[in-house]
Amino acid sequence: MSSLSREKPRQRSQPVPHKGGVSWWDSLSPERKMDLLGVLLALLGLLSLLSLFSSHHGILTRWWVTALQLMGGDGAFILPLVFLLFGFWLVLRNVDRFPSPSIERGTGLLLLYWVILAVFHLYQGGGWELAAAGKGGGYIGALLERLLVSAIGQAGAWVVLLAGFLLGVIMTADISMVDLVSSVESLVHRMRQESKRSRERLSAVERKRSSPVSLPQSPEQREELPEDFKPLPVHENELPPTTKPSVLAPSVKKGGGGSRLASSWDSSSRPEDEKPIPSSQQIWQLPSVDEILDPPVEETIQTNVDAERARLIEETLASFGAPVHVVEISRGPTVTQFGVEPDFIETRSGRMRVRVGKIAALADDLALALAAPRIRIQAPVPGRHYVGIEVPNIQISRVMLKEVIESEAFRKIRSPLRFALGKDVAGHSVAYDLATMPHLLIAGTTGSGKSVCVNSILTCLLLHNSPVELRLILVDPKRVELTGYNGIPHLLAPVVTEAEKVVGALQWVQREMDARYHRFSQSGVRNIAEYNRKFSPPLPYLVVLVDELADLMMMAPEETERSLTRLAQLARATGIHLVLATQRPSVDVITGLIKANFPARIAFAVASGVDSRVILDQPGAERLLGRGDMLFQAPDASAPVRIQGVYVSDLEIQRLVDFWRLQDMNVRATQRMAADPNMAEPVNMDLPPSVPLTQVPLFDAEMGGREGDPLLEEAKRIVRQEGKASISMLQRKLRIGYTRAARLIDALEEAGIIGPASPTSQVREVLDWENGEE
């Protein structure tokens, strides 16, 4: 072998250890270094603030205060405040409620500091002399102010500073521009609401003070009044709104005639040929809740089952490397929510809390361990410091409508359109006001509890409103859900069961909305509540309830969507509210335009997460149990709330309907007795003169009545001139809807003007060319 091969390979040089060993700073973990840095920054900020607001300084603090004032001027306190907050931020970085520190947030704080100093200096006139005196924004503000003003002028400097302030807020808070704008809008809305409430309280106090009659409340006060004291006469139209009678005096109109619904419930001045009948006034009596609704049934709760389930949850999650401990157990009628707080685990970088996403990913494993059909994990529970694990109860209790109506949550809502919704996972009663929603969308599969929810809403409205205060339009294409309400005096028309008539009904509601807005503009009011406080007779609220939206969207999708969208956008102030229900939650039924105008939504059990996203814009409804188990998305809530809906039996509904039907018969009998013998028809005894007790034709105005459509002759002329006929052509030429155009085509075919439909084309042949062009 050669000498080269016999040479030993060179060994690599080993690092020489430091003579002094490992330093103290290097021996600390990154977590300890962050804690130490946070304590030092907080201490520096606190000492700086105390020095700025104190008149006694040492050598070091005097120099430091002078430096701060020269750098920041009037904003010298900002930098110590930033040091103090950033120090606390670093110390409390592992707490869940505090955001984690990042370079982006630090950059945002620095940008905000510069912008504020520049604004201080620019607002006080600028100049280096101001900075040398320790005023304005100091030398930092002066430098930024000089650069901006010399480059883009003073106006441009203000624009750049505003943009920099918004950018700093976005980076510091780690939110988007949309979230920032929505937060500002919600803050402004709350401020307006508070100012409105304060004005209403002041006006109520002023009305109470300016009341013309102040009767004594005790015998002692009566004795103090002089003997010749006489109270001022008070006319009925001078009473405050809270003391006006809720029932109007009846009137008899000579000449008879059936009552028809005009385009507006216009309460103009009473004609001279009408005379009141004060001796036959009929007052609507509201039904008694105890007589209509069944009492709730008490249930037995086994607490040992919940404790055993809590132990299983802790053991199961710990076995998968996600240790937690149960901090709260809330038992509801359908599910029990176990509030679990994540524990800490040891990692290479130190202690770390278990991630919420890891707990949420173990839902199926928890369902297996607890032998539960479905488990829903709410991570985290809004406003709480724990994750909610909702486990179905072994015995599901039924929530009766009466117990929710008698609860404090329902009683504290002072609105005629309040309704009971059910109980949440903690067993608390939940009630809402339809007027604040202002419209409601309900969706869920067949048998999930959708129809029961619709009936419970109607039951609550009928229990607390007379026909003077509330009118209803019910649409039921299935013909079996809402037809039982026929005959109650609240209905403007019998329950609409034919889909082709629904478009006409919605168009009538739009005309009523426009007429009410016209009345509001003439009266100088903004909404129905203000109008009813100032004027008499009051306008009734109008609720339009559609039980199956999918059937309407198949028949006339464009007209239905256009009418519903316009009503949802504009009808709130006029007291018109919509309730839509469907069992097919798909994008062709619940379109984006409809969903955008219905912020209040109820999702019952659905088949897949896609259907849940269509209703709520997020999954979750596919894990519901059915039979009234729902997710309710309130307009002012960030996340949906799980609620077990109330149950209303058919017997309770029948009692309520029979109550109103019997009272309606008594009203009509009283009318016949009080009316003039020469009258052909009785009159309404308690409703405003222009509001009918029952509404018969909602659709004759659209279809032209029994004499035929007034556009039939124009349609004949068009088809003869064009030489062909189709539904789309009549829609375009006459600017009408699909339903009316289809009826015109049928009428033309019956008259022999056009031929029958072809199996391969929608265009029809013209047969009668009279007065036309060959």
Side-chain angles (χ1 to χ4, degrees):
M1 295 179 68
S2 63
S3 60
L4 292 176
S5 62
R6 292 193 301 267
E7 292 180 359
K8 295 181 179 180
R10 297 180 180 179
Q11 297 181 354
R12 295 181 181 178
S13 60
Q14 298 295 331
V16 179
H18 193 269
K19 295 181 179 179
V22 181
S23 63
W24 172 79
W25 179 257
D26 295 335
S27 63
L28 295 177
S29 64
E31 291 290 322
R32 296 296 176 266
K33 292 179 182 179
M34 296 288 284
D35 293 337
L36 185 58
L37 180 60
V39 172
L40 292 177
L41 286 177
L43 181 61
L44 177 60
L46 183 59
L47 290 176
S48 301
L49 287 175
L50 293 177
S51 301
L52 284 172
F53 293 104
S54 177
S55 57
H56 302 284
H57 303 113
I59 299 175
L60 184 61
T61 56
R62 184 183 300 110
W63 172 84
W64 178 240
V65 168
T66 304
L68 288 176
Q69 291 177 347
L70 290 177
M71 283 192 304
D74 293 333
F77 65 92
I78 298 178
L79 187 59
L81 187 61
V82 170
F83 285 160
L84 181 62
L85 295 179
F86 194 72
F88 278 115
W89 192 3
L90 291 178
V91 172
L92 303 175
R93 65 189 180 278
N94 289 326
V95 180
D96 293 340
R97 294 176 179 267
F98 286 86
S100 58
S102 61
I103 299 177
E104 181 182 1
R105 286 194 171 97
T107 306
L109 284 174
L110 184 61
L111 180 59
L112 283 176
Y113 178 61
W114 287 349
V115 168
I116 292 173
L117 294 183
V119 168
F120 281 175
H121 210 75
L122 187 60
Y123 179 75
Q124 296 186 20
W128 296 105
E129 297 81 4
L130 190 65
K135 300 295 183 181
Y139 282 105
I140 298 178
L143 178 61
L144 295 174
E145 183 261 343
R146 284 292 90 197
L147 290 176
L148 291 175
V149 171
S150 60
I152 56 178
Q154 189 170 6
W158 283 109
V159 175
V160 171
L161 290 176
L162 178 60
F165 179 77
L166 294 177
L167 183 60
V169 171
I170 292 173
M171 295 176 66
T172 304
D174 194 15
I175 59 175
S176 62
M177 192 65 187
V178 178
D179 296 336
L180 180 62
V181 173
S182 62
S183 301
V184 173
E185 288 181 351
S186 62
L187 179 61
V188 173
H189 179 71
R190 286 197 298 268
M191 294 175 63
R192 289 180 177 177
Q193 291 293 332
E194 290 297 330
S195 62
K196 182 180 179 181
R197 293 192 190 98
S198 61
R199 289 197 301 268
E200 290 178 354
R201 287 194 293 267
L202 290 176
S203 60
V205 172
E206 292 177 357
R207 288 196 303 268
K208 187 175 181 180
R209 291 178 178 177
S210 60
S211 179
V213 179
S214 179
L215 296 178
Q217 302 296 327
S218 62
E220 291 78 5
Q221 293 176 336
R222 294 191 185 98
E223 293 176 359
E224 295 177 358
L225 294 175
E227 296 180 357
D228 56 348
F229 172 80
K230 293 182 180 180
L232 295 175
V234 180
H235 299 285
E236 183 179 349
N237 55 1
E238 295 178 355
L239 291 174
T242 56
T243 59
K244 287 185 179 180
S246 60
V247 178
L248 303 174
S251 60
V252 177
K253 184 174 181 179
K254 295 182 179 180
S259 61
R260 296 177 60 89
L261 184 65
S263 62
S264 168
W265 283 307
D266 188 11
S267 58
S268 56
S269 58
R270 182 175 296 175
E272 295 180 357
D273 55 346
E274 291 187 323
K275 57 181 180 180
I277 310 178
S279 59
S280 303
Q281 290 185 3
Q282 172 68 30
I283 300 177
W284 289 102
Q285 298 290 337
L286 294 179
S288 173
V289 176
D290 296 331
E291 297 177 359
I292 300 297
L293 302 180
D294 296 332
V297 179
E298 297 184 359
E299 57 175 334
T300 58
I301 300 176
Q302 300 178 357
T303 57
N304 57 340
V305 176
D306 295 338
E308 181 65 21
R309 285 187 167 187
R311 184 185 61 81
L312 281 175
I313 290 174
E314 292 179 351
E315 292 178 355
T316 303
L317 293 179
S319 64
F320 285 98
V324 299
H325 61 279
V326 178
V327 296
E328 185 174 342
I329 300 177
S330 301
R331 185 178 180 87
T334 305
V335 298
T336 299
Q337 185 185 71
F338 296 88
V340 298
E341 185 176 354
D343 289 339
F344 289 93
I345 56 176
E346 295 292 338
T347 60
R348 294 181 179 180
S349 59
R351 297 182 64 199
M352 176 181 290
R353 188 182 291 273
V354 176
R355 292 184 295 107
V356 174
K358 188 174 183 179
I359 301 176
L362 298 173
D364 296 334
D365 299 289
L366 284 173
L368 177 63
L370 297 172
R374 292 179 182 178
I375 283 182
R376 177 176 177 264
I377 297 181
Q378 191 175 15
V381 177
R384 301 297 181 92
H385 63 282
Y386 54 76
V387 177
I389 300 177
E390 298 171 357
V391 183
N393 295 334
I394 299 176
Q395 294 180 352
I396 298 176
S397 60
R398 180 175 291 175
V399 180
M400 303 303 293
L401 179 59
K402 183 179 180 181
E403 59 180 320
V404 181
I405 288 181
E406 293 177 349
S407 64
E408 183 64 25
F410 187 85
R411 292 177 179 176
K412 69 180 182 181
I413 300 177
R414 303 296 183 182
S415 172
L417 299 183
R418 56 182 178 173
F419 64 93
L421 201 55
K423 288 187 176 182
D424 58 10
V425 294
H428 300 148
S429 299
V430 180
Y432 282 92
D433 181 15
L434 182 61
T436 60
M437 287 186 176
H439 312 288
L440 180 61
L441 177 64
I442 306 172
T445 57
T446 303
S448 59
K450 175 177 58 64
S451 298
V452 178
C453 179
V454 171
N455 284 319
S456 66
I457 294 175
L458 283 175
T459 302
C460 288
L461 296 179
L462 294 177
L463 281 173
H464 300 91
N465 293 277
S466 67
V468 184
E469 303 164 339
L470 175 69
R471 308 311 295 270
L472 298 173
I473 295 179
L474 304 182
V475 178
D476 182 17
K478 293 186 293 186
R479 303 171 183 266
V480 294
E481 296 294 344
L482 303 178
T483 51
Y485 292 95
N486 276 326
I488 62 174
H490 298 76
L491 291 180
L492 282 172
V495 178
V496 183
T497 56
E498 300 179 10
E500 58 269 14
K501 290 186 176 182
V502 178
V503 176
L506 295 178
Q507 291 175 354
W508 178 89
V509 177
Q510 291 183 68
R511 294 195 299 270
E512 171 65 18
M513 177 190 67
D514 295 335
R516 290 192 175 192
Y517 270 121
H518 182 67
R519 178 184 298 185
F520 291 169
S521 64
Q522 291 181 340
S523 304
V525 297
R526 299 182 59 184
N527 51 49
I528 185 173
E530 188 177 354
Y531 180 89
N532 290 342
R533 284 197 302 266
K534 294 183 178 180
F535 300 97
S536 181
L539 286 176
Y541 287 90
L542 179 60
V543 176
V544 182
L545 195 149
V546 180
D547 183 57
E548 186 48 63
L549 180 63
D551 191 63
L552 307 182
M553 295 298 290
M554 286 193 302
M555 294 292 296
E558 295 182 1
E559 291 81 359
T560 303
E561 183 182 21
R562 187 184 307 112
S563 301
L564 292 177
T565 303
R566 187 168 185 269
L567 288 173
Q569 290 174 347
L570 301 176
R572 175 180 183 177
T574 62
I576 301 175
H577 303 278
L578 305 177
V579 179
L580 305 182
T582 181
Q583 62 182 3
R584 200 180 77 188
S586 57
V587 293
D588 58 339
V589 176
I590 307 177
T591 62
L593 195 58
I594 292 178
K595 190 165 63 172
N597 292 282
F598 283 79
R601 305 166 197 165
I602 295 178
F604 288 92
V606 294
S608 63
V610 177
D611 296 338
S612 178
R613 291 183 182 275
V614 172
I615 307 171
L616 300 174
D617 297 325
Q618 59 181 299
E622 73 279 2
R623 292 186 173 270
L624 297 177
L625 304 176
R627 300 180 62 85
D629 191 14
M630 71 175 77
L631 287 177
F632 174 68
Q633 176 66 59
D636 54 350
S638 59
V641 180
R642 189 170 186 176
I643 298 173
Q644 175 63 34
V646 296
Y647 175 76
V648 182
S649 64
D650 295 338
L651 184 59
E652 292 173 328
I653 297 175
Q654 191 61 39
R655 290 187 201 133
L656 181 62
V657 173
D658 292 342
F659 174 86
W660 283 115
R661 286 176 179 172
L662 180 61
Q663 191 170 181
D664 186 25
M665 294 173 58
N666 295 334
V667 169
R668 293 177 180 274
T670 306
Q671 290 173 351
R672 288 192 294 269
M673 293 171 54
D676 189 85
N678 298 326
M679 288 280 295
E681 292 184 21
V683 296
N684 299 330
M685 299 301 300
D686 62 332
L687 294 177
S690 58
V691 180
L693 188 62
T694 56
Q695 154 67 20
V696 180
L698 274 178
F699 322 102
D700 290 349
E702 294 293 326
M703 299 297 118
R706 299 180 180 178
E707 300 178 357
D709 199 305
L711 293 179
L712 183 60
E713 296 298 328
E714 182 68 16
K716 292 180 182 179
R717 186 189 65 80
I718 291 176
V719 298
R720 286 168 176 166
Q721 183 178 359
E722 296 291 333
K724 58 182 180 180
S726 66
I727 297 176
S728 59
M729 184 188 71
L730 291 183
Q731 285 184 272
R732 185 174 63 257
K733 295 287 186 180
L734 298 177
R735 297 181 180 179
I736 58 178
Y738 176 86
T739 306
R740 192 173 185 183
R743 286 182 176 272
L744 287 173
I745 289 293
D746 295 339
L748 292 175
E749 183 181 356
E750 293 175 0
I753 306 298
I754 60 176
S758 174
T760 59
S761 175
Q762 299 294 330
V763 180
R764 306 206 181 188
E765 181 184 2
V766 179
L767 302 179
D768 187 357
W769 292 87
E770 182 183 356
N771 297 330
E773 297 179 1
E774 290 275 353

